[in-house]
Amino acid sequence: MELFGLLDDGVSNALEAFADNVYEDMDHEWLYDGSMDGIDEGAVGSALGIAPMAFGAWFTPFNPGRHVHPSAADEPDTAAV
């Protein structure tokens, strides 16, 4: 958006409002920060309460009250038998 001059104040505010209302926190941004690789696997990650960041854990709910969209569920397809 910046490259094509589309990121004006209105668009920037809309994107910020979206992020504030959609994400519980911005921890997912750590997935794109190479300096955070492996932080979830050590003592620091445990102390900070960082959830597993490995690809296989991306759609695993953090607690029983959370739901996963059926297309992301890791369940065998019994209808194809």
Side-chain angles (χ1 to χ4, degrees):
M1 295 183 84
E2 289 175 0
L3 181 64
F4 293 101
L6 300 173
L7 190 59
D8 61 16
D9 288 340
V11 172
S12 185
N13 290 338
L15 291 171
E16 186 175 326
F18 175 81
D20 288 345
N21 289 292
V22 171
Y23 305 120
E24 182 175 313
D25 55 40
M26 297 304 287
D27 289 356
H28 64 275
E29 291 291 324
W30 291 8
L31 295 171
Y32 308 103
D33 183 350
S35 69
M36 296 295 176
D37 285 352
I39 193 169
D40 58 316
E41 300 168 2
V44 172
S46 293
L48 294 174
I50 297 173
M53 293 192 294
F55 179 74
W58 283 7
F59 298 105
T60 302
F62 293 127
N63 57 46
R66 303 282 176 109
H67 300 283
V68 174
H69 190 278
S71 66
D74 188 18
E75 298 176 4
D77 183 9
T78 56
V81 178

